[in-house]
Amino acid sequence: AACEVPTRTPRLVHDGDQKSFGLSASEVGGGMGGAFASSTATASTAVTIPLDDTVPQSGEGIEYIAAVIPVHSPSSWITARFTSWGAGNTLMAITVALFRNDEASTIQARPVTIGGNTYMHLLALEKHFQANTAGNMNMKIRFGPNGSTCWILQNPSAGLFSTSASSILTLTEIAP
């Protein structure tokens, strides 16, 4: 089914680092909306997300960024996208993992191999899934190394581009 792009400007609501946008169902023939969070904060952790055959859990790695999307229908489709920059102090993998609400297991995880000390790499994750519920859905990104220490928006010795570099979590709903 085709999705017609609306010609009206979506409403943007800003509340600190949490932003949301949307059009009503009558404006797009179904309904769509979303939310996003951005951060220029650097973060580091040695709390691992094992690089093995198990699903990452909510106690692994550390939470870095979160956003809440108001879901209009259980049959809506949600797309979650996260991008940032990461580094490690040795050859390692950094895993970014997407969690929904208070669920213990991730719904999407992606490891990125880091070449070694001071090498910055793009950390990116995307997940498209059916909502299966209506109401507010809290989406969180956790990250962690498979060993040693890793960083977001900095390398072991300095930040990345001061506040002009940022991490972004974008959530989009397409309602039926």
Side-chain angles (χ1 to χ4, degrees):
C3 178
E4 186 174 316
V5 176
T7 56
R8 293 189 176 100
T9 303
R11 295 174 300 285
L12 177 64
V13 179
H14 182 270
D15 179 20
D17 284 336
Q18 171 73 46
K19 291 98 176 165
S20 62
F21 55 91
L23 293 167
S24 69
S26 64
E27 290 173 304
V28 293
M32 72 178 205
F36 65 97
S38 62
S39 177
T40 58
T42 61
S44 66
T45 186
V47 179
T48 63
I49 296 179
L51 193 58
D52 60 19
D53 64 348
T54 62
V55 175
Q57 299 296 302
S58 60
E60 298 171 345
I62 62 168
E63 185 174 325
Y64 176 68
I65 197 169
V68 177
I69 183 170
V71 178
H72 297 92
S73 168
S75 56
S76 291
W77 286 91
I78 307 296
T79 300
R81 291 183 180 96
F82 172 74
T83 57
S84 189
W85 292 96
N89 62 356
T90 186
L91 178 63
M92 65 168 42
I94 297 175
T95 298
V96 291
L98 177 68
F99 289 85
R100 176 178 42 208
N101 296 323
D102 292 324
E103 294 175 14
S105 297
T106 187
I107 62 170
Q108 181 76 24
R110 182 170 188 267
V112 176
T113 301
I114 303 298
N117 197 16
T118 73
Y119 293 109
M120 300 296 291
H121 291 271
L122 178 65
L123 305 177
L125 177 141
E126 183 169 327
K127 175 71 174 174
H128 187 68
F129 60 97
Q130 195 160 20
N132 295 324
T133 186
N136 287 338
M137 184 179 292
N138 185 15
M139 304 299 291
K140 302 169 246 189
I141 292 288
R142 298 182 71 85
F143 80 100
N146 66 322
S148 200
T149 301
C150 66
W151 291 263
I152 282 188
L153 295 183
Q154 72 179 58
N155 63 37
S157 58
L160 178 65
F161 305 133
S162 185
T163 58
S164 67
S166 64
S167 301
I168 299 170
L169 174 60
T170 305
L171 308 171
T172 307
E173 174 191 20
I174 303 295

